[in-house]
Amino acid sequence: MLVDAEIDDVPAAEPTRVGSRRGLAYLGVCLVLIGLNLRTVFSSFSAVLPEVTADAGLPSWAVVVLTTVPVTLLGVFAPLAPVLARRFGAERVLLGAMAVLTGGLLLRPVELPGAGHLPALFAGTAACGAAISLCNVLLPGVVKRDFPHRLGLMGGLYTTAICASAALGAGFTFPVFRATGQWTAALWFWALPAGVVLLLFLPLAIRQRHARHQTSHGGVNVWRSAVAWQVTLFMVLQAMMSFSVFAWLAPILRERGVDGGTAGLIVAASIVLQMLGSLFAPALATRFRDQRAINTVVALMTGGGFALSIFGPTEFLWLWTGLLGLGQGSLTAAALTLIMVRTRDGHTASHLSGMMQGVGYGLGSSGTLLVGQLHQATGSFAAAGVLFLLVGSLAAVFGYRAGRDRFVGG
């Protein structure tokens, strides 16, 4: 599932210059640590959302925007990543992205005289979303390029780190708030690990030499493929549910009477189960030429788990969110696995990945937007539960169609 964003470069991008096995191991650690910072911005904000809203006096529309913008930017900036890598080199673009991410995390809680917290929250959140988008696109290719003989190990570590980052943000933000009494300190805390990774990666990235590259053209036009659109719409629907979990599951639990610390632990446990689902689903999916059954089942598990987290008896919340976690992790992995099993070559896989990320994250952000608007209009999350029963059902339909044994380009 590691798709190279530099696959169309002419001449081909060179491996990172590290000089020794120890240097290569250092690079691997840096890449995994970058992955460990790519989801805390989503889950940390939702963990203290009631405190932020009350203390900063955020209007309801601002809450909706703040939970939607970073996901939208994942799609908006995705096409820019290969262009920047071609011009400056993937390592330096990753370094710049980590600098922007650190700056955004530092800016996010700032209170401006006379303007309050809202401007900095908007600007910092947008900066984080743009930076994460660049890392999302470039990191898999760097892992694939520099660790060709350790793809299983590095791919597993990298994807696990991304899931772990969401769990850490959900599980530790509220305890930091409780210890300090300030939501600003709880959000500032996440700039620390990002800044550490920035400093660790700095000497390695700045000494890289980079030659200008051009783009090769040709191959399958994925935008004209019915199969590619079925896979992409499957990705859109899973993204709607995935990022809504990061943004809204903790507030949903707290509205149901769960205290902030317990809600954070429940969300973290759900995300850990996502990690298990993401490990097993690709292996199961690739055992067969047809993925219709697994796509349908995990889509219904996710939509059902989300709805039960809202409607189900509170004494079984750990069970409902566990079902949601297993379903969501499996669903995300199943959608990404289709990049490989529905394409015949690396070029087509890379282009399909770009299409899925641009459209998938861009339209997938509508999930967080709709949940926020429905809550604002109705005063509860009940309508969101109905919404995700519908979204899960639609994901099952498109997952069934995308899972047929067909290829992009025929």
Side-chain angles (χ1 to χ4, degrees):
M1 291 190 296
L2 297 178
V3 179
D4 189 354
E6 300 172 307
I7 198 166
D8 290 332
D9 286 3
V10 178
E14 295 182 356
T16 306
R17 299 172 186 268
V18 292
S20 65
R21 287 190 175 183
R22 181 176 296 180
L24 186 64
Y26 182 82
L27 170 64
V29 170
C30 287
L31 296 179
V32 171
L33 290 177
I34 290 174
L36 201 56
N37 284 272
L38 296 187
R39 294 295 181 269
T40 56
V41 67
F42 303 104
S43 54
S44 62
F45 183 71
S46 67
V48 289
L49 182 57
E51 288 73 24
V52 177
T53 302
D55 183 67
L58 298 183
S60 55
W61 65 265
V63 173
V64 173
V65 172
L66 287 168
T67 54
T68 303
V69 163
V71 186
T72 304
L73 292 179
L74 295 185
V76 171
F77 279 85
L80 185 60
V83 178
L84 292 174
R86 212 168 289 128
R87 175 65 177 83
F88 301 105
E91 296 85 0
R92 293 190 179 188
V93 177
L94 285 173
L95 178 68
M98 287 306 299
V100 172
L101 178 60
T102 304
L105 290 169
L106 287 171
L107 176 61
R108 202 167 47 150
V110 170
E111 182 177 10
L112 299 177
H117 286 282
L118 195 55
L121 277 170
F122 279 143
T125 300
C128 291
I132 292 168
S133 177
L134 299 179
C135 293
N136 276 348
V137 177
L138 294 181
L139 263 179
V142 175
V143 170
K144 186 175 182 180
R145 183 191 68 195
D146 291 337
F147 298 90
H149 304 298
R150 294 290 185 272
L151 280 184
L153 173 63
M154 283 301 299
L157 289 174
Y158 156 73
T159 53
T160 301
I162 291 179
C163 289
S165 70
L168 290 171
F172 284 95
T173 302
F174 195 85
V176 174
F177 163 73
R178 181 177 287 164
T180 62
Q182 298 180 330
W183 65 265
T184 52
L187 294 187
W188 265 321
F189 174 81
W190 298 106
L192 177 62
V196 170
V197 177
L198 173 65
L199 294 176
L200 290 174
F201 194 55
L202 177 65
L204 191 153
I206 60 174
R207 69 168 179 254
Q208 299 304 311
R209 298 176 183 177
H210 180 69
R212 291 291 187 93
H213 296 270
Q214 296 179 335
T215 306
S216 63
H217 298 282
V220 175
N221 187 340
V222 295
W223 297 92
R224 296 181 179 179
S225 167
V227 176
W229 277 107
Q230 290 161 7
V231 173
T232 297
L233 289 173
F234 185 47
M235 179 71 171
V236 168
L237 294 162
Q238 80 81 21
M240 288 180 68
M241 292 188 282
S242 177
F243 285 98
S244 294
V245 169
F246 294 151
W248 293 109
L249 184 55
I252 286 170
L253 297 176
R254 296 186 69 177
E255 189 171 278
R256 299 204 67 188
V258 180
D259 69 89
T262 303
L265 288 176
I266 292 175
V267 175
S270 180
I271 295 171
V272 170
L273 288 174
Q274 282 190 33
M275 295 163 63
L276 292 178
S278 67
L279 287 174
F280 290 109
L284 181 61
T286 53
R287 288 178 64 89
F288 307 98
R289 298 178 65 183
D290 184 305
Q291 290 77 38
R292 287 179 292 183
I294 186 173
N295 290 352
T296 302
V297 169
V298 297
L300 294 176
M301 279 179 61
T302 306
F306 209 123
L308 284 168
S309 298
I310 296 173
F311 298 125
T314 54
E315 57 265 31
F316 298 115
L317 276 175
W318 286 90
L319 177 61
W320 311 142
T321 55
L323 176 69
L324 172 60
L326 281 173
Q328 184 61 64
S330 301
L331 178 62
T332 303
L336 293 174
T337 302
L338 291 176
I339 296 174
M340 293 303 183
V341 299
R342 295 281 82 86
T343 57
R344 298 182 188 274
D345 58 79
H347 286 270
T348 305
S350 181
H351 296 161
L352 178 59
S353 175
M355 178 181 177
M356 287 175 65
Q357 290 196 63
V359 178
Y361 290 139
L363 296 182
S365 63
S366 63
T368 59
L369 176 65
L370 287 171
V371 172
Q373 288 183 325
L374 288 171
H375 184 266
Q376 180 180 341
T378 65
S380 78
F381 287 106
V386 176
L387 169 69
F388 283 104
L389 283 175
L390 175 61
V391 172
S393 299
L394 287 173
V397 170
F398 282 100
Y400 183 90
R401 294 185 64 82
R404 293 176 296 174
D405 185 21
R406 299 168 62 191
F407 291 93
V408 175

